Amino acid sequence: MPAAAIDRAKVALARAIGDSRVAVDADACGAFAKDESEADGRVPDIVVHAESLAHIEATLRIAEELGVPVTPRAGGTGRSGGAIPAAGGIVLATAKLSRIKDLDRKNLLAVVEPGVVTGDLHAAAEAEGLFYPPDPNSWKSCMIGGNVAENAGGPRAFKYGTTREYVLGVEACLMGGHTVRSGKRTVKGVTGYDVTALLVGSEGTLGVFSEITLKLLPKPREIATALGLFRDSTSALDAVTAVLHHGLVPRCMEFLDPPALDALRSQGVAIDARAAALLLIELDGGHVEADLMDLGEVLSSAPGSIDVQVAQDAARRAALWEARRAMSPTTRKLAKYKISEDVVVPRSAMSELLDRVAGIGLREGVRNLTYGHAGDGNLHVNFLWNDRAEDEAVERAVSQLMDATLALGGTLSGEHGIGLTKQKYITREQGPALVQLEHGLKRVFDPKGLLNPGKIFPPDGTHHAC
Ligand code: MLT
Ligand code: ZN
C-alpha cells in the first residue's frame, strides 16, 4: 500500500468525518490488529470510529477513490481473523453505532445498529417479553454487526437456527459509498434476489452494515436444563440421538469430551471423577415440566449414563451451565496458543470424527480437546500448543481435520466463518467452479477488491481481494 495514498486518506477522512473519529497513531491503532483467533495481527494505518451512516459512506467513498483497503469491525471477537486488517489500510469500526432503534412488540422485530452488544439485545428484548435466540458464547461482548457478517450461531441454534434466520433486512454501504437497503420488515417476502441472505455471512467482504432489522420471537414461558454425565463420548453422543428419537426438541444439546472434562478439572471445576463425557441439554416452551421428566428418563436409561441432574430455577440452571460456559476461557489458559475449529459433520458421524481427531493428535503429537453443539454436529476441535516450533505439526493437524470432516460429509465452518484462518481449505469443500462464481460476485460488489481483502478465498492472482 503506497504511503502517499495512506497520507491522503488520513487528511481526507479527518476532513470528512472529524479528527476525533479518525485514529492514526500506532498505539491507538494497535488494539485493532487482532481478533479472538490465532491469525497474525496487522496494525491498521487508520481506524475510523463511525457514528453514523454518513461516516461509513464517506469512508468507503474515500477508500475507493484512493485505492485504500478497508476492514470492517464491530466487536472484534471473531474466531477466524475476519476483522484483522490483512492488507493494512483502514479499519472501519462500527462499535459506536450502538442504538437499538426500535423494538416493535406488535410485529415482533427489532431495528438495531451494528455496534449493539448481542447480550444487550437479549436483555432489551426479554424486558419486553420478547426473545432474540442467537447466542454466540461471546454474547457479553460480541456485536450484532459481526454476528450478521459471520452468520454466528451458538448453543440455541439447534432449535432456533443461526443469525441468518433472524435477519429480515439490512442497510448496507458498498465500496464507493453507495448505500442499499435489502430485505423487509414483514414475515414473508420473496421480492427479487435474496440479497440480504447473500450479505449475511459474507464476512465483511461485500458491504458494511449500518442498520439491521431482526425478527424476534415471544419469550419462551419456561426453561429447564439437564446435565448428563457418561462413561465415554460415544455413549453421550448416542444419547443425543435417543433424545431426538423420543420426540423431544431441546433448544441446546451441548457436548464435552474426555480431554475437555480433564481440562476443566485441572482448573478447579468439580466434575464427578467417573465421568468421561458430558451433555448439557436445555428445553424451553410451555410444557417444560413434563418434557424435563421425559428427558431425565431418556438420559438416565441411556447406555453408559452415570448421573443426571436437572434444574428449572435460574440459579441452578446457571450452575449446570458453568462447565460449558467456562470451556473457551479455560482452554485459553491451558497453553500459549490455541485454535478452536468449528467443523460440522452429520450427527451420526460425530463419534467417528472424534476417533479421527484422536488419531490426528497422536500422529502429529498435538494436544487437543473437543466440545460443542452436538445437536448440530458442530464440534469445536481445539488444538493447543506452546512453542512456535510446533506450528507446522498444528497446521498438518488442522489440514487433516478438514479432510476428515469433508470425508464424513461435513463442512469446514458451522459458525465462526472462514476468514483468514480457513481460506486455504475452502476449495477442498466447494470446488474451483463454485469458488470462481463467488469471486465473480465479489467483483460485482467491490470491483477493486478493497473491502476486507484476503478473506474467505485463497488469492487467485487476478483479483487482489480474493
Ligand atoms: C463456543 O461455542 O464456545 C464458541 O463458539 C467459541 C469456541 O469456543 O470456539
Ligand atoms: Zn460455538
Side-chain angles (χ1 to χ4, degrees), residues 79 137 324 328 340 371 373 380 415-416:
R79 305 247 166 190
N137 271 326
R324 174 61 182 97
S328 188
S340 177
Y371 56 93
H373 317 297
H380 295 305
E415 54 181 13
H416 294 172

Side-chain angles (χ1 to χ4, degrees), residues 79-359:
R79 305 247 166 190
S80 58
I84 290 181
I90 301 167
V91 161
L92 176 49
T94 55
K96 290 192 172 167
L97 281 157
S98 58
R99 279 181 307 153
I100 297 176
K101 292 165 109 175
D102 192 9
L103 261 182
D104 182 343
R105 288 191 71 208
K106 269 195 183 153
N107 294 304
L108 293 178
L109 59 83
V111 180
V112 303
E113 292 183 326
V116 170
V117 172
T118 308
D120 292 347
L121 178 61
H122 289 153
E126 283 168 33
E128 295 289 329
L130 302 171
F131 182 42
Y132 177 66
D135 60 339
N137 271 326
S138 52
W139 53 269
K140 285 187 184 157
S141 51
C142 66
M143 294 174 184
I144 297 292
N147 292 179
V148 176
E150 300 297 327
N151 189 16
R156 299 196 291 231
F158 174 64
K159 178 171 177 182
Y160 290 107
T162 58
T163 302
R164 174 184 304 293
E165 319 297 329
Y166 297 89
V167 182
L168 294 172
V170 296
E171 178 184 79
C173 190
L174 311 185
M175 279 311 292
H178 322 288
T179 296
V180 294
R181 292 184 72 93
S182 72
K184 56 200 185 290
R185 275 179 76 107
T186 51
V187 176
K188 278 181 163 173
V190 295
T191 309
Y193 289 147
D194 195 346
V195 175
T196 308
L198 177 62
L199 292 172
V200 177
S202 63
E203 304 194 26
T205 63
L206 299 182
V208 181
F209 304 122
S210 45
E211 187 184 283
I212 299 149
T213 303
L214 294 166
K215 177 172 92 173
L216 302 176
L217 300 177
K219 187 175 157 188
R221 284 210 293 258
E222 295 164 29
I223 307 169
T225 308
L227 184 144
L229 296 174
F230 292 84
R231 67 168 178 236
D232 54 42
S233 295
T234 302
S235 308
L237 294 169
D238 286 348
V240 168
T241 307
V243 168
L244 297 177
H245 283 173
H246 200 77
L248 293 164
V249 187
R251 66 180 189 174
C252 313
M253 299 185 101
E254 299 289 299
F255 164 78
L256 275 60
D257 83 343
L261 292 192
D262 285 342
L264 289 168
R265 290 185 184 110
S266 78
Q267 299 293 314
V269 180
I271 298 166
D272 190 326
R274 297 168 300 160
L278 179 153
L279 280 184
L280 185 74
I281 302 189
E282 193 153 88
L283 300 161
D284 66 1
H287 306 98
V288 157
E289 184 115 32
D291 283 353
L292 186 61
M293 280 178 67
D294 274 1
L295 176 62
E297 282 283 302
V298 176
L299 292 178
S300 20
S301 57
S305 168
I306 288 174
D307 187 28
V308 178
Q309 296 164 42
V310 296
Q312 276 185 274
D313 67 273
R316 292 197 51 229
R317 285 184 41 244
L320 295 187
W321 270 95
E322 190 199 341
R324 174 61 182 97
R325 291 275 182 230
M327 216 42 258
S328 188
T330 296
T331 313
R332 168 79 52 225
K333 286 188 209 143
L334 295 179
K336 208 159 164 192
Y337 310 110
K338 75 150 183 158
I339 287 182
S340 177
E341 295 297 349
D342 67 318
V343 294
V344 194
V345 290
R347 259 196 310 272
S348 58
M350 283 189 290
S351 280
E352 173 66 25
L353 185 77
L354 289 175
D355 286 348
R356 294 195 190 193
V357 168

